[in-house]
Amino acid sequence: MTLELAAAGPWSADGHWERMDAAVAHLDAPLAALSLEALAHNARDMVRRAAGTPLRLATKSVRSRPVIDAVLATPGWRGALAATLSEALWLTETVDDVLMGYPTVDVRALRALAADERALERVTLMIDSVDHLDVIDSAAPGHPRIRIAVELDSGLALGPLRAGVRRSPLHTPEQIRALAQTVTDRRGFALVGVMSYEAQVAGVQSARHRGIAPAFVVRGMQRLSVSDLLERRTAAVAAVREVAPLEFVNGGGTGSIESTGADPAVTEIGAGSGLFGGHLFDGYRRFMPAPAIGFALPVVRKPAPGVATLLGGGWIASGPAGRHRSPVIAWPPGLRLDPAEGAGEVQTPVLGRAADRLRLGDRVWMRPAKSGEPNERVRELQLVEGDTAAGAVPTYRGEGRELL
């Protein structure tokens, strides 16, 4: 099935979950559903926020090829940011520009890349050390020219304190220039890009306290991070350009589109989570994505007054363990998770007066914390247009694939 987001109508928050529920009422649950209007709204709004800088789609936040293709057909989006090389090779069937967001040590996939002329033109591998080049050479001796990008550490270092995820060991312009020189001097490699992902800005809420630090502290850290990276990334990219011409400089994520796009060193922004609008994005000051994706769980028990028990529900997001990684109840209103059980593997009790109005077979809609991870649990996404079912598209799992 081919999706065309350009044809999707405007999205409205009023009655959103009621429309979702009505559209799939004829289908058995548990199920996952995607609002086409909300998806199109988010895709266009992210382009607006980017203010002319192209967006590269982080596929781990989608995990459905028809949806990936539909977003990439939307003006303002260009190319994919993949998580694994096996995924990247598969995506080249329909996507002509796939950047690896992470290094790979997958020997079988590296050999497949080296033997695939189309993939060699479409895939760019990510590295942050000479060891990564050694892995590639060992896996595919004498390989043809392979496209390479190097990653700059975007973390903020304040003495012994650090903000940001632990990715590349290359923190200074001198370090990344040295690796860039090694790439260009080594046979079988072509240096084409630089990446830097400021997770402490893109992936940390700035409007509410959710277990990390008070919101005003987070905002202060993010201002320092943006200032630090503006200077350091500019110098690093200039240093690499002394070694080789670059096709792209990738940076940012859904939560940092504005600040990353304002960096003149950046030529494209990696983003994806904002397309589906997992609830971890409810706490940002500058934007609020529409909750495009949700999953419906059926009521299977009524064990006591004020309690209804749902089938399944423990679709917990990765990251530091805590209640904020659990799904949240989206509809109907007046329900809450039981703190003694939370969202469970095979059952999820929900509490509140609204539970008394639920009957066996009724659905409760949940929102995942993250965007793409729920698609590892379902084979297809039910599409909703208005209050009408609009077919279904397969997830990676539905096509016999998995991300990790």
Side-chain angles (χ1 to χ4, degrees):
M1 180 177 184
T2 301
L3 299 184
E4 294 184 6
L5 296 185
W11 177 76
S12 172
D14 294 337
H16 170 69
W17 294 106
E18 290 90 336
R19 294 192 298 273
M20 294 279 277
D21 192 58
V24 298
H26 62 293
L27 300 174
D28 288 330
L31 60 82
L34 179 66
S35 164
L36 294 180
E37 291 92 348
L39 174 63
H41 169 86
N42 290 337
R44 290 190 292 261
D45 190 57
M46 292 166 74
V47 170
R48 176 194 62 79
R49 293 172 56 209
T53 302
L55 293 167
R56 183 181 289 272
L57 174 55
T59 57
K60 74 178 182 63
S61 300
V62 175
R63 308 191 201 197
S64 169
R65 280 208 302 181
V67 178
I68 290 168
D69 292 342
V71 173
L72 291 181
T74 303
W77 292 85
R78 183 183 69 195
L81 183 65
T84 71
L85 183 52
S86 59
E87 178 201 18
L89 295 173
W90 182 50
L91 290 175
T92 59
E93 294 177 4
T94 58
V95 181
D96 62 8
D97 179 5
V98 184
L99 170 64
M100 287 285 296
Y102 308 85
T104 184
V105 293
D106 186 333
V107 171
R108 180 179 296 180
L110 285 168
R111 289 173 179 167
L113 171 66
D116 188 332
E117 292 184 5
R118 181 179 65 181
L120 286 167
E121 292 298 319
R122 294 185 172 191
V123 174
T124 301
L125 299 185
M126 185 66 61
I127 71 163
D128 60 40
S129 74
V130 175
D131 291 343
H132 290 132
L133 298 178
D134 293 340
V135 168
I136 298 167
D137 282 341
S138 176
H143 57 77
R145 171 184 174 273
I146 291 177
R147 295 167 55 86
I148 296 292
V150 291
E151 181 167 2
L152 174 72
D153 172 41
S154 297
L156 175 67
L158 298 172
L161 302 178
R162 175 185 169 84
V165 295
R166 298 187 181 277
R167 292 172 63 103
S168 172
L170 307 174
H171 191 77
T172 68
E174 294 77 16
Q175 289 172 324
I176 198 168
R177 188 189 189 282
L179 181 57
Q181 186 68 63
T182 300
V183 175
T184 59
D185 290 345
R186 197 146 166 174
R187 183 178 179 181
F189 297 103
L191 180 63
V192 298
V194 170
M195 178 182 180
S196 59
Y197 171 49
E198 53 267 44
Q200 69 276 16
V201 181
V204 179
Q205 298 176 72
S206 59
R208 64 175 62 169
H209 184 185
R210 294 191 69 168
I212 301 171
F216 74 90
V217 173
V218 170
R219 292 194 292 272
M221 175 275 293
Q222 290 178 337
R223 286 192 294 270
L224 288 173
S225 292
V226 170
S227 177
D228 165 71
L229 194 55
L230 180 65
E231 178 179 347
R232 192 159 49 84
R233 181 159 52 198
T234 297
V237 170
V240 175
R241 288 191 188 277
E242 292 174 359
V243 174
L246 295 176
E247 295 180 13
F248 64 86
V249 177
N250 179 280
T254 290
S256 72
I257 288 177
E258 291 87 353
S259 60
T260 304
D263 186 339
V266 172
T267 66
E268 62 177 40
I269 303 168
S273 295
L275 291 167
F276 285 176
H279 73 71
L280 284 178
F281 283 98
D282 288 353
Y284 285 75
R285 301 184 78 190
R286 294 186 177 182
F287 71 101
M288 177 67 74
I293 195 170
F295 56 95
L297 305 176
V299 176
V300 293
R301 283 178 169 168
K302 298 293 295 291
V307 183
T309 303
L310 315 177
L311 178 64
W315 299 10
I316 309 300
S318 59
R323 63 185 180 87
H324 301 308
R325 300 289 159 169
S326 293
V328 297
I329 299 171
W331 185 85
L335 297 172
R336 65 185 187 278
L337 294 177
D338 183 346
E341 294 195 43
E345 179 183 10
V346 290
Q347 75 165 36
T348 297
V350 294
L351 313 178
R353 292 183 179 180
D356 291 328
R357 296 191 292 271
L358 293 173
R359 299 171 298 175
L360 295 183
D362 286 348
R363 279 83 180 278
V364 172
W365 285 84
M366 313 283 281
R367 290 178 61 201
K370 287 190 171 182
S371 294
E373 289 186 21
N375 286 345
E376 295 292 339
R377 295 179 174 269
V378 295
R379 292 186 173 86
E380 59 185 13
L381 283 171
Q382 304 300 326
L383 303 179
V384 174
E385 192 166 8
D387 60 357
T388 303
V393 291
T395 62
Y396 281 10
R397 179 180 177 181
E399 293 198 66
R401 302 276 180 158
E402 68 284 322
L403 189 67
L404 285 169

